[in-house]
Amino acid sequence: MRNAYLEALYELAGADRRVLALIADNGAIVYDKYRRDYPEQYFNFGISEANMVSVAAGLASCGKIPFAYTISVFLTMRAFEQVRNDVCMQRMNVKLVGTGAGFVYSNLGPTHHATEDLALMRALPGMTIFSPADASEAYQATMAAARMDGPVYLRLATGGSPKIYEGEQGSCGQQNFQPGQAVLLRGGNDLAIVGTGAILLEAIRAADELEREGIAARVINIHTVKPIDREIILRAAAQTGRVITLEEHSVTGGLGSCVAEVLAEAGQAGVQLRRLGLVDSFAESYGSYEQMKQRNGLSKEFVVQAAWELMEN
Amino acid sequence: MDEALRKELQEMAGALRGSIFRTICRGGGGHIAASLSIVEILTVLYWAVLRIEPRQPRDPERDRFVLSKGHAGVALYAVLAKLGFFEEGVLETFGKFDTVLGGHPDMHKVAGVEASTGALGHGFGFAMGQALAGKIDGKDYRVFALLGDGECQEGSIWEAALFGPQQRLDNFTAIIDFNKIQAMDRLEEIVSVSPLAEKWQAFGWSVRQVDGHDVGQLAEVLGSVPFEEGRPSMVIAHTVKGKGISFMEDVPIWHYRLPSAEQMETACRELGIENFSREQLV
């Protein structure tokens, strides 16, 4: 995802001199090509996230389009008030790009896991949140962020995310990325799995397994967490009656909360809902990303188990 | 400095103090002492230094001024009204329901306000972004930011302090209103920021110190930026919090407070405000 982002940024910077890459001493090597070709559109702030965001807002006030990039936790949490006051309150055209969504930086431990960022960012007025599921979608989301005028939080995993979509990078499979319009990854009317980000891979794996057992699970990719696609959620709830949310994030304030709000406000609180994610905890343990998913209850077995529990009700 | 100009600037500063006092008293309270300490700084900036045109507040070539110590917003409002960015009558709405003049300035509501400030440690970096944009575009506008001394306790200030010299932002000038008092007490009694000049020098800034109430000194120093090519400029302005009202001067309690009827009378006399009455003010 990170490389797809950089590819998009490289194209954007070449086409529009207002586009600037801001970094906080993270990702230096992957920026090499960009830095070589657009040195005047590249600024490394050192380990100073708060200042990077304030300066980004000031740059935007003069017509620049800064993409401020660093590890998600440091961007959205350490610099939260700068994001709130300097970017959102003043409605500045700043793109905040956080890497290390969820616990993809598995071995680095919870200081480097972004597991409350969605809750924080979605509370901010005027913020758009893109949470792509794979590299091709990250590319499209970056392009979409550049086309919009206003603050965007782009939540990226890191390098080497498995493909969710078939086809060449940038094509998003057969779909074109439409902000605010979720994508149906699988059809099915027995239950719906609503997910966001790279963890959708587990939803697809679970749907495959459930299919072998005769259960048709619909899989929905919420690549835009804010504004959320209410229609697709309500339709899934109405047609299946069973909804599982899946996120590499705390269930408090994240996608699970978003979906619960949508259902409750539409009078569909009677739908069976199960929220999978971190429950009042930081991500447990160290290990590979795959091991971390398992330990933290987000690998496909847990999705399948939740599906069976809902089916038996 | 030319005597006539000095007199003119001093008179303007006096008029602004009266305007600030009336606005805050009419509005039922505000950060009065922190507004009074920056009056000469703003006077010199807006009447002798900044290249701005009130009728074109969004001209991309204009100089920018960011009030990083946003709690002194009333002082900025008084200046902008006097210059005609908006009608002076708008000052009367300060503190009233639905006014555009909040306790801290809003760039989307008030013409001439370059950044919405109030949370300390934000405007400095924001203004630096404007200076950086000017450098990128090869424009010759300049950016000025006014900080509080207490504000220098914020960590974000020192992140930006490192960044400005690194980027060689000699189109950027910061001024510190060094009145030595923060909300609750003297800085020396809470968390000292001294020695201020040495700190900024050590961070790579070109530093000058001035009497922040001497319009001649301010005009000379602010009119000669950048002090060094390739470095951002820092002006440490030694000021008196509450300047111009005897019982407020250098007294910590006046950070945010409304004078009593008797005190108002004294203040009006000292500021040369005529035809006042308490009813009219509050």
Side-chain angles (χ1 to χ4, degrees), chain A residues 43 45 48 50-51 54-55 57-59 61-62 64 81 85-86 90-92, chain B residues 107-108 115-116 119 122 125-126 129-130 132-133 136-137 141 159-160 163 167:
Chain A
F43 296 93
F45 283 73
S48 302
N51 187 50
S54 285
V55 171
L59 285 164
S61 79
C62 296
K64 300 294 175 195
E81 199 195 41
N85 291 6
D86 301 346
Q90 302 188 71
R91 304 195 289 276
M92 289 296 151
Chain B
M107 71 178 305
H108 290 297
S116 302
H122 287 249
F126 187 94
Q130 297 181 321
L132 184 58
I136 294 168
D137 292 339
Y141 67 75
E159 291 187 6
F163 185 72
Q167 296 294 332

PDB file of all heavy atoms in Angstrom, chain A residues 43 45 48 50-51 54-55 57-59 61-62 64 81 85-86 90-92, chain B residues 107-108 115-116 119 122 125-126 129-130 132-133 136-137 141 159-160 163 167:
ATOM      1  N   PHE A  43       9.833  17.727   1.841  1.00  0.00           N
ATOM      2  CA  PHE A  43      10.342  18.312   3.084  1.00  0.00           C
ATOM      3  C   PHE A  43      10.315  17.280   4.199  1.00  0.00           C
ATOM      4  O   PHE A  43       9.273  16.706   4.504  1.00  0.00           O
ATOM      5  CB  PHE A  43       9.496  19.521   3.500  1.00  0.00           C
ATOM      6  CG  PHE A  43       9.580  20.644   2.504  1.00  0.00           C
ATOM      7  CD1 PHE A  43       8.636  20.747   1.491  1.00  0.00           C
ATOM      8  CD2 PHE A  43      10.609  21.569   2.552  1.00  0.00           C
ATOM      9  CE1 PHE A  43       8.719  21.760   0.547  1.00  0.00           C
ATOM     10  CE2 PHE A  43      10.699  22.586   1.616  1.00  0.00           C
ATOM     11  CZ  PHE A  43       9.762  22.687   0.606  1.00  0.00           C
ATOM     12  N   PHE A  45      10.635  16.872   8.050  1.00  0.00           N
ATOM     13  CA  PHE A  45      10.517  17.695   9.259  1.00  0.00           C
ATOM     14  C   PHE A  45      11.303  17.138  10.440  1.00  0.00           C
ATOM     15  O   PHE A  45      11.290  17.734  11.520  1.00  0.00           O
ATOM     16  CB  PHE A  45       9.041  17.841   9.652  1.00  0.00           C
ATOM     17  CG  PHE A  45       8.321  18.820   8.780  1.00  0.00           C
ATOM     18  CD1 PHE A  45       8.005  18.499   7.467  1.00  0.00           C
ATOM     19  CD2 PHE A  45       7.995  20.083   9.250  1.00  0.00           C
ATOM     20  CE1 PHE A  45       7.366  19.417   6.641  1.00  0.00           C
ATOM     21  CE2 PHE A  45       7.359  20.998   8.430  1.00  0.00           C
ATOM     22  CZ  PHE A  45       7.051  20.666   7.124  1.00  0.00           C
ATOM     23  N   SER A  48       9.117  15.501  14.314  1.00  0.00           N
ATOM     24  CA  SER A  48       8.359  16.655  14.822  1.00  0.00           C
ATOM     25  C   SER A  48       6.986  16.665  14.165  1.00  0.00           C
ATOM     26  O   SER A  48       6.701  17.490  13.296  1.00  0.00           O
ATOM     27  CB  SER A  48       9.082  17.961  14.481  1.00  0.00           C
ATOM     28  OG  SER A  48      10.377  17.990  15.014  1.00  0.00           O
ATOM     29  N   ALA A  50       3.926  17.358  15.312  1.00  0.00           N
ATOM     30  CA  ALA A  50       3.042  18.493  15.560  1.00  0.00           C
ATOM     31  C   ALA A  50       3.399  19.645  14.624  1.00  0.00           C
ATOM     32  O   ALA A  50       2.523  20.251  13.997  1.00  0.00           O
ATOM     33  CB  ALA A  50       3.143  18.935  17.026  1.00  0.00           C
ATOM     34  N   ASN A  51       4.695  19.914  14.521  1.00  0.00           N
ATOM     35  CA  ASN A  51       5.111  21.013  13.647  1.00  0.00           C
ATOM     36  C   ASN A  51       4.827  20.693  12.189  1.00  0.00           C
ATOM     37  O   ASN A  51       4.416  21.567  11.418  1.00  0.00           O
ATOM     38  CB  ASN A  51       6.598  21.306  13.845  1.00  0.00           C
ATOM     39  CG  ASN A  51       7.041  22.537  13.096  1.00  0.00           C
ATOM     40  OD1 ASN A  51       6.418  23.586  13.196  1.00  0.00           O
ATOM     41  ND2 ASN A  51       8.096  22.410  12.307  1.00  0.00           N
ATOM     42  N   SER A  54       1.145  21.574  11.631  1.00  0.00           N
ATOM     43  CA  SER A  54       0.906  23.023  11.642  1.00  0.00           C
ATOM     44  C   SER A  54       1.447  23.680  10.374  1.00  0.00           C
ATOM     45  O   SER A  54       0.778  24.508   9.751  1.00  0.00           O
ATOM     46  CB  SER A  54       1.585  23.685  12.853  1.00  0.00           C
ATOM     47  OG  SER A  54       0.882  23.416  14.029  1.00  0.00           O
ATOM     48  N   VAL A  55       2.665  23.307  10.002  1.00  0.00           N
ATOM     49  CA  VAL A  55       3.277  23.886   8.800  1.00  0.00           C
ATOM     50  C   VAL A  55       2.472  23.477   7.553  1.00  0.00           C
ATOM     51  O   VAL A  55       2.250  24.294   6.658  1.00  0.00           O
ATOM     52  CB  VAL A  55       4.759  23.476   8.672  1.00  0.00           C
ATOM     53  CG1 VAL A  55       5.333  23.894   7.316  1.00  0.00           C
ATOM     54  CG2 VAL A  55       5.587  24.105   9.789  1.00  0.00           C
ATOM     55  N   ALA A  57      -0.660  22.999   7.374  1.00  0.00           N
ATOM     56  CA  ALA A  57      -1.848  23.856   7.320  1.00  0.00           C
ATOM     57  C   ALA A  57      -1.483  25.240   6.789  1.00  0.00           C
ATOM     58  O   ALA A  57      -2.208  25.815   5.966  1.00  0.00           O
ATOM     59  CB  ALA A  57      -2.488  23.950   8.696  1.00  0.00           C
ATOM     60  N   GLY A  58      -0.358  25.770   7.250  1.00  0.00           N
ATOM     61  CA  GLY A  58       0.082  27.080   6.759  1.00  0.00           C
ATOM     62  C   GLY A  58       0.388  27.045   5.271  1.00  0.00           C
ATOM     63  O   GLY A  58       0.056  27.974   4.532  1.00  0.00           O
ATOM     64  N   LEU A  59       1.000  25.969   4.814  1.00  0.00           N
ATOM     65  CA  LEU A  59       1.284  25.802   3.379  1.00  0.00           C
ATOM     66  C   LEU A  59      -0.031  25.771   2.591  1.00  0.00           C
ATOM     67  O   LEU A  59      -0.164  26.422   1.545  1.00  0.00           O
ATOM     68  CB  LEU A  59       2.051  24.496   3.143  1.00  0.00           C
ATOM     69  CG  LEU A  59       3.536  24.478   3.531  1.00  0.00           C
ATOM     70  CD1 LEU A  59       4.047  23.047   3.616  1.00  0.00           C
ATOM     71  CD2 LEU A  59       4.377  25.284   2.541  1.00  0.00           C
ATOM     72  N   SER A  61      -2.778  27.102   3.400  1.00  0.00           N
ATOM     73  CA  SER A  61      -3.418  28.428   3.397  1.00  0.00           C
ATOM     74  C   SER A  61      -2.851  29.289   2.272  1.00  0.00           C
ATOM     75  O   SER A  61      -3.451  30.296   1.896  1.00  0.00           O
ATOM     76  CB  SER A  61      -3.239  29.126   4.754  1.00  0.00           C
ATOM     77  OG  SER A  61      -1.944  29.693   4.872  1.00  0.00           O
ATOM     78  N   CYS A  62      -1.703  28.904   1.738  1.00  0.00           N
ATOM     79  CA  CYS A  62      -1.106  29.624   0.601  1.00  0.00           C
ATOM     80  C   CYS A  62      -1.268  28.829  -0.697  1.00  0.00           C
ATOM     81  O   CYS A  62      -0.525  29.053  -1.658  1.00  0.00           O
ATOM     82  CB  CYS A  62       0.358  29.904   0.874  1.00  0.00           C
ATOM     83  SG  CYS A  62       0.635  31.001   2.277  1.00  0.00           S
ATOM     84  N   LYS A  64      -0.902  25.495  -1.325  1.00  0.00           N
ATOM     85  CA  LYS A  64      -0.195  24.242  -1.544  1.00  0.00           C
ATOM     86  C   LYS A  64      -1.108  23.052  -1.198  1.00  0.00           C
ATOM     87  O   LYS A  64      -2.086  23.202  -0.468  1.00  0.00           O
ATOM     88  CB  LYS A  64       1.074  24.177  -0.681  1.00  0.00           C
ATOM     89  CG  LYS A  64       2.061  25.300  -0.969  1.00  0.00           C
ATOM     90  CD  LYS A  64       2.635  25.183  -2.357  1.00  0.00           C
ATOM     91  CE  LYS A  64       3.516  26.364  -2.695  1.00  0.00           C
ATOM     92  NZ  LYS A  64       3.790  26.421  -4.142  1.00  0.00           N
ATOM     93  N   GLU A  81      -4.248  17.701  18.169  1.00  0.00           N
ATOM     94  CA  GLU A  81      -4.794  19.056  18.270  1.00  0.00           C
ATOM     95  C   GLU A  81      -4.397  19.914  17.071  1.00  0.00           C
ATOM     96  O   GLU A  81      -5.146  20.793  16.648  1.00  0.00           O
ATOM     97  CB  GLU A  81      -4.350  19.726  19.570  1.00  0.00           C
ATOM     98  CG  GLU A  81      -5.236  20.906  19.930  1.00  0.00           C
ATOM     99  CD  GLU A  81      -4.626  21.792  20.982  1.00  0.00           C
ATOM    100  OE1 GLU A  81      -3.403  22.057  20.929  1.00  0.00           O
ATOM    101  OE2 GLU A  81      -5.357  22.227  21.865  1.00  0.00           O
ATOM    102  N   ASN A  85      -7.246  21.762  15.099  1.00  0.00           N
ATOM    103  CA  ASN A  85      -7.337  23.230  15.003  1.00  0.00           C
ATOM    104  C   ASN A  85      -6.767  23.788  13.708  1.00  0.00           C
ATOM    105  O   ASN A  85      -7.358  24.672  13.100  1.00  0.00           O
ATOM    106  CB  ASN A  85      -6.567  23.889  16.155  1.00  0.00           C
ATOM    107  CG  ASN A  85      -7.230  23.659  17.496  1.00  0.00           C
ATOM    108  OD1 ASN A  85      -8.196  22.921  17.606  1.00  0.00           O
ATOM    109  ND2 ASN A  85      -6.689  24.280  18.511  1.00  0.00           N
ATOM    110  N   ASP A  86      -5.594  23.297  13.337  1.00  0.00           N
ATOM    111  CA  ASP A  86      -4.904  23.930  12.212  1.00  0.00           C
ATOM    112  C   ASP A  86      -5.449  23.423  10.881  1.00  0.00           C
ATOM    113  O   ASP A  86      -5.551  24.189   9.928  1.00  0.00           O
ATOM    114  CB  ASP A  86      -3.387  23.673  12.307  1.00  0.00           C
ATOM    115  CG  ASP A  86      -2.809  24.210  13.611  1.00  0.00           C
ATOM    116  OD1 ASP A  86      -3.506  24.984  14.284  1.00  0.00           O
ATOM    117  OD2 ASP A  86      -1.678  23.855  13.971  1.00  0.00           O
ATOM    118  N   GLN A  90      -9.757  25.138  10.464  1.00  0.00           N
ATOM    119  CA  GLN A  90      -9.517  26.187   9.465  1.00  0.00           C
ATOM    120  C   GLN A  90      -9.787  25.685   8.044  1.00  0.00           C
ATOM    121  O   GLN A  90      -9.538  26.391   7.072  1.00  0.00           O
ATOM    122  CB  GLN A  90      -8.088  26.727   9.605  1.00  0.00           C
ATOM    123  CG  GLN A  90      -7.855  27.281  11.006  1.00  0.00           C
ATOM    124  CD  GLN A  90      -6.537  27.993  11.172  1.00  0.00           C
ATOM    125  OE1 GLN A  90      -6.341  29.081  10.644  1.00  0.00           O
ATOM    126  NE2 GLN A  90      -5.619  27.400  11.899  1.00  0.00           N
ATOM    127  N   ARG A  91     -10.308  24.464   7.957  1.00  0.00           N
ATOM    128  CA  ARG A  91     -10.714  23.853   6.687  1.00  0.00           C
ATOM    129  C   ARG A  91      -9.583  23.914   5.644  1.00  0.00           C
ATOM    130  O   ARG A  91      -9.761  24.403   4.522  1.00  0.00           O
ATOM    131  CB  ARG A  91     -11.981  24.534   6.148  1.00  0.00           C
ATOM    132  CG  ARG A  91     -13.139  24.497   7.140  1.00  0.00           C
ATOM    133  CD  ARG A  91     -14.465  24.822   6.492  1.00  0.00           C
ATOM    134  NE  ARG A  91     -14.625  26.203   6.103  1.00  0.00           N
ATOM    135  CZ  ARG A  91     -15.025  27.189   6.909  1.00  0.00           C
ATOM    136  NH1 ARG A  91     -15.320  26.928   8.175  1.00  0.00           N
ATOM    137  NH2 ARG A  91     -15.170  28.416   6.472  1.00  0.00           N
ATOM    138  N   MET A  92      -8.421  23.425   6.034  1.00  0.00           N
ATOM    139  CA  MET A  92      -7.261  23.465   5.147  1.00  0.00           C
ATOM    140  C   MET A  92      -7.163  22.200   4.299  1.00  0.00           C
ATOM    141  O   MET A  92      -7.478  21.102   4.758  1.00  0.00           O
ATOM    142  CB  MET A  92      -5.979  23.639   5.976  1.00  0.00           C
ATOM    143  CG  MET A  92      -5.863  25.019   6.574  1.00  0.00           C
ATOM    144  SD  MET A  92      -5.730  26.264   5.285  1.00  0.00           S
ATOM    145  CE  MET A  92      -6.481  27.676   6.092  1.00  0.00           C
TER     146      MET A  92
ATOM    147  N   MET B 107     -10.153  33.021  11.370  1.00  0.00           N
ATOM    148  CA  MET B 107      -9.777  33.486  10.026  1.00  0.00           C
ATOM    149  C   MET B 107     -10.951  33.459   9.041  1.00  0.00           C
ATOM    150  O   MET B 107     -10.933  34.171   8.041  1.00  0.00           O
ATOM    151  CB  MET B 107      -8.637  32.627   9.473  1.00  0.00           C
ATOM    152  CG  MET B 107      -9.063  31.229   9.099  1.00  0.00           C
ATOM    153  SD  MET B 107      -7.740  30.223   8.379  1.00  0.00           S
ATOM    154  CE  MET B 107      -7.189  31.197   7.029  1.00  0.00           C
ATOM    155  N   HIS B 108     -11.943  32.619   9.309  1.00  0.00           N
ATOM    156  CA  HIS B 108     -13.066  32.542   8.373  1.00  0.00           C
ATOM    157  C   HIS B 108     -14.151  33.576   8.683  1.00  0.00           C
ATOM    158  O   HIS B 108     -15.079  33.746   7.921  1.00  0.00           O
ATOM    159  CB  HIS B 108     -13.663  31.137   8.381  1.00  0.00           C
ATOM    160  CG  HIS B 108     -12.754  30.114   7.760  1.00  0.00           C
ATOM    161  ND1 HIS B 108     -12.392  30.177   6.433  1.00  0.00           N
ATOM    162  CD2 HIS B 108     -12.129  29.037   8.279  1.00  0.00           C
ATOM    163  CE1 HIS B 108     -11.582  29.159   6.157  1.00  0.00           C
ATOM    164  NE2 HIS B 108     -11.395  28.458   7.262  1.00  0.00           N
ATOM    165  N   ALA B 115      -4.891  33.540  10.651  1.00  0.00           N
ATOM    166  CA  ALA B 115      -4.942  32.181  11.186  1.00  0.00           C
ATOM    167  C   ALA B 115      -5.834  32.178  12.415  1.00  0.00           C
ATOM    168  O   ALA B 115      -5.832  33.140  13.190  1.00  0.00           O
ATOM    169  CB  ALA B 115      -3.540  31.694  11.570  1.00  0.00           C
ATOM    170  N   SER B 116      -6.605  31.114  12.562  1.00  0.00           N
ATOM    171  CA  SER B 116      -7.437  30.975  13.763  1.00  0.00           C
ATOM    172  C   SER B 116      -6.552  30.441  14.872  1.00  0.00           C
ATOM    173  O   SER B 116      -6.087  29.304  14.805  1.00  0.00           O
ATOM    174  CB  SER B 116      -8.583  29.993  13.510  1.00  0.00           C
ATOM    175  OG  SER B 116      -9.368  30.425  12.434  1.00  0.00           O
ATOM    176  N   ALA B 119      -5.396  28.177  20.841  1.00  0.00           N
ATOM    177  CA  ALA B 119      -4.626  27.108  21.461  1.00  0.00           C
ATOM    178  C   ALA B 119      -3.163  27.470  21.236  1.00  0.00           C
ATOM    179  O   ALA B 119      -2.734  27.666  20.095  1.00  0.00           O
ATOM    180  CB  ALA B 119      -4.952  25.768  20.810  1.00  0.00           C
ATOM    181  N   HIS B 122       0.364  26.868  18.174  1.00  0.00           N
ATOM    182  CA  HIS B 122      -0.112  26.491  16.842  1.00  0.00           C
ATOM    183  C   HIS B 122       0.231  27.529  15.769  1.00  0.00           C
ATOM    184  O   HIS B 122       0.675  27.184  14.684  1.00  0.00           O
ATOM    185  CB  HIS B 122      -1.636  26.307  16.848  1.00  0.00           C
ATOM    186  CG  HIS B 122      -2.088  25.064  17.542  1.00  0.00           C
ATOM    187  ND1 HIS B 122      -2.643  24.004  16.890  1.00  0.00           N
ATOM    188  CD2 HIS B 122      -2.064  24.721  18.849  1.00  0.00           C
ATOM    189  CE1 HIS B 122      -2.945  23.046  17.760  1.00  0.00           C
ATOM    190  NE2 HIS B 122      -2.607  23.471  18.961  1.00  0.00           N
ATOM    191  N   GLY B 125       3.909  27.625  14.012  1.00  0.00           N
ATOM    192  CA  GLY B 125       4.169  26.656  12.939  1.00  0.00           C
ATOM    193  C   GLY B 125       3.337  26.949  11.703  1.00  0.00           C
ATOM    194  O   GLY B 125       3.808  26.813  10.570  1.00  0.00           O
ATOM    195  N   PHE B 126       2.093  27.357  11.911  1.00  0.00           N
ATOM    196  CA  PHE B 126       1.200  27.686  10.795  1.00  0.00           C
ATOM    197  C   PHE B 126       1.816  28.824   9.967  1.00  0.00           C
ATOM    198  O   PHE B 126       1.908  28.756   8.737  1.00  0.00           O
ATOM    199  CB  PHE B 126      -0.169  28.095  11.351  1.00  0.00           C
ATOM    200  CG  PHE B 126      -1.239  28.302  10.314  1.00  0.00           C
ATOM    201  CD1 PHE B 126      -2.100  27.267   9.983  1.00  0.00           C
ATOM    202  CD2 PHE B 126      -1.408  29.532   9.684  1.00  0.00           C
ATOM    203  CE1 PHE B 126      -3.114  27.448   9.040  1.00  0.00           C
ATOM    204  CE2 PHE B 126      -2.402  29.724   8.738  1.00  0.00           C
ATOM    205  CZ  PHE B 126      -3.256  28.678   8.420  1.00  0.00           C
ATOM    206  N   GLY B 129       4.626  27.780   7.883  1.00  0.00           N
ATOM    207  CA  GLY B 129       4.164  27.153   6.644  1.00  0.00           C
ATOM    208  C   GLY B 129       3.911  28.197   5.568  1.00  0.00           C
ATOM    209  O   GLY B 129       4.226  27.990   4.384  1.00  0.00           O
ATOM    210  N   GLN B 130       3.374  29.345   5.963  1.00  0.00           N
ATOM    211  CA  GLN B 130       3.141  30.417   4.992  1.00  0.00           C
ATOM    212  C   GLN B 130       4.472  30.961   4.469  1.00  0.00           C
ATOM    213  O   GLN B 130       4.598  31.280   3.284  1.00  0.00           O
ATOM    214  CB  GLN B 130       2.319  31.526   5.647  1.00  0.00           C
ATOM    215  CG  GLN B 130       0.936  31.040   6.076  1.00  0.00           C
ATOM    216  CD  GLN B 130       0.097  32.127   6.715  1.00  0.00           C
ATOM    217  OE1 GLN B 130       0.597  32.953   7.474  1.00  0.00           O
ATOM    218  NE2 GLN B 130      -1.190  32.125   6.411  1.00  0.00           N
ATOM    219  N   LEU B 132       7.266  29.234   4.319  1.00  0.00           N
ATOM    220  CA  LEU B 132       7.840  28.185   3.472  1.00  0.00           C
ATOM    221  C   LEU B 132       7.203  28.206   2.082  1.00  0.00           C
ATOM    222  O   LEU B 132       7.895  28.067   1.068  1.00  0.00           O
ATOM    223  CB  LEU B 132       7.650  26.814   4.144  1.00  0.00           C
ATOM    224  CG  LEU B 132       8.278  25.599   3.457  1.00  0.00           C
ATOM    225  CD1 LEU B 132       9.787  25.766   3.298  1.00  0.00           C
ATOM    226  CD2 LEU B 132       7.979  24.318   4.250  1.00  0.00           C
ATOM    227  N   ALA B 133       5.891  28.419   2.046  1.00  0.00           N
ATOM    228  CA  ALA B 133       5.202  28.506   0.749  1.00  0.00           C
ATOM    229  C   ALA B 133       5.760  29.674  -0.068  1.00  0.00           C
ATOM    230  O   ALA B 133       5.963  29.563  -1.283  1.00  0.00           O
ATOM    231  CB  ALA B 133       3.693  28.672   0.957  1.00  0.00           C
ATOM    232  N   ILE B 136       9.048  28.588  -1.516  1.00  0.00           N
ATOM    233  CA  ILE B 136       8.870  27.629  -2.613  1.00  0.00           C
ATOM    234  C   ILE B 136       8.490  28.369  -3.895  1.00  0.00           C
ATOM    235  O   ILE B 136       8.982  28.069  -4.979  1.00  0.00           O
ATOM    236  CB  ILE B 136       7.770  26.591  -2.262  1.00  0.00           C
ATOM    237  CG1 ILE B 136       8.207  25.707  -1.093  1.00  0.00           C
ATOM    238  CG2 ILE B 136       7.413  25.727  -3.475  1.00  0.00           C
ATOM    239  CD1 ILE B 136       7.091  24.857  -0.500  1.00  0.00           C
ATOM    240  N   ASP B 137       7.616  29.360  -3.743  1.00  0.00           N
ATOM    241  CA  ASP B 137       7.109  30.080  -4.921  1.00  0.00           C
ATOM    242  C   ASP B 137       7.990  31.250  -5.337  1.00  0.00           C
ATOM    243  O   ASP B 137       7.665  31.954  -6.298  1.00  0.00           O
ATOM    244  CB  ASP B 137       5.687  30.584  -4.645  1.00  0.00           C
ATOM    245  CG  ASP B 137       4.693  29.429  -4.539  1.00  0.00           C
ATOM    246  OD1 ASP B 137       5.004  28.337  -5.051  1.00  0.00           O
ATOM    247  OD2 ASP B 137       3.620  29.619  -3.942  1.00  0.00           O
ATOM    248  N   TYR B 141       6.853  38.147  -0.338  1.00  0.00           N
ATOM    249  CA  TYR B 141       6.119  38.563   0.868  1.00  0.00           C
ATOM    250  C   TYR B 141       6.840  38.043   2.110  1.00  0.00           C
ATOM    251  O   TYR B 141       7.631  37.106   2.048  1.00  0.00           O
ATOM    252  CB  TYR B 141       4.657  38.090   0.831  1.00  0.00           C
ATOM    253  CG  TYR B 141       4.396  36.604   0.912  1.00  0.00           C
ATOM    254  CD1 TYR B 141       4.529  35.907   2.115  1.00  0.00           C
ATOM    255  CD2 TYR B 141       3.981  35.885  -0.208  1.00  0.00           C
ATOM    256  CE1 TYR B 141       4.266  34.549   2.199  1.00  0.00           C
ATOM    257  CE2 TYR B 141       3.721  34.530  -0.131  1.00  0.00           C
ATOM    258  CZ  TYR B 141       3.868  33.865   1.077  1.00  0.00           C
ATOM    259  OH  TYR B 141       3.601  32.514   1.158  1.00  0.00           O
ATOM    260  N   GLU B 159       9.764  22.619  18.328  1.00  0.00           N
ATOM    261  CA  GLU B 159       9.847  21.863  17.071  1.00  0.00           C
ATOM    262  C   GLU B 159      10.002  22.847  15.915  1.00  0.00           C
ATOM    263  O   GLU B 159      10.842  22.683  15.028  1.00  0.00           O
ATOM    264  CB  GLU B 159       8.580  21.021  16.842  1.00  0.00           C
ATOM    265  CG  GLU B 159       8.423  19.853  17.797  1.00  0.00           C
ATOM    266  CD  GLU B 159       7.252  18.935  17.444  1.00  0.00           C
ATOM    267  OE1 GLU B 159       6.605  19.116  16.395  1.00  0.00           O
ATOM    268  OE2 GLU B 159       6.992  18.018  18.229  1.00  0.00           O
ATOM    269  N   ALA B 160       9.169  23.884  15.943  1.00  0.00           N
ATOM    270  CA  ALA B 160       9.233  24.887  14.877  1.00  0.00           C
ATOM    271  C   ALA B 160      10.532  25.694  14.966  1.00  0.00           C
ATOM    272  O   ALA B 160      11.099  26.093  13.946  1.00  0.00           O
ATOM    273  CB  ALA B 160       8.017  25.811  14.955  1.00  0.00           C
ATOM    274  N   PHE B 163      12.985  23.947  13.054  1.00  0.00           N
ATOM    275  CA  PHE B 163      12.674  23.813  11.623  1.00  0.00           C
ATOM    276  C   PHE B 163      12.983  25.098  10.823  1.00  0.00           C
ATOM    277  O   PHE B 163      13.489  25.032   9.700  1.00  0.00           O
ATOM    278  CB  PHE B 163      11.203  23.442  11.473  1.00  0.00           C
ATOM    279  CG  PHE B 163      10.775  23.155  10.057  1.00  0.00           C
ATOM    280  CD1 PHE B 163      11.181  21.990   9.419  1.00  0.00           C
ATOM    281  CD2 PHE B 163       9.958  24.040   9.366  1.00  0.00           C
ATOM    282  CE1 PHE B 163      10.774  21.716   8.115  1.00  0.00           C
ATOM    283  CE2 PHE B 163       9.550  23.765   8.061  1.00  0.00           C
ATOM    284  CZ  PHE B 163       9.967  22.602   7.439  1.00  0.00           C
ATOM    285  N   GLN B 167      15.336  25.428   7.334  1.00  0.00           N
ATOM    286  CA  GLN B 167      14.815  25.788   6.005  1.00  0.00           C
ATOM    287  C   GLN B 167      15.283  27.181   5.568  1.00  0.00           C
ATOM    288  O   GLN B 167      14.802  27.697   4.559  1.00  0.00           O
ATOM    289  CB  GLN B 167      13.283  25.723   6.003  1.00  0.00           C
ATOM    290  CG  GLN B 167      12.720  24.322   6.253  1.00  0.00           C
ATOM    291  CD  GLN B 167      13.033  23.347   5.137  1.00  0.00           C
ATOM    292  OE1 GLN B 167      13.195  23.744   3.993  1.00  0.00           O
ATOM    293  NE2 GLN B 167      13.100  22.056   5.462  1.00  0.00           N
TER     294      GLN B 167
END
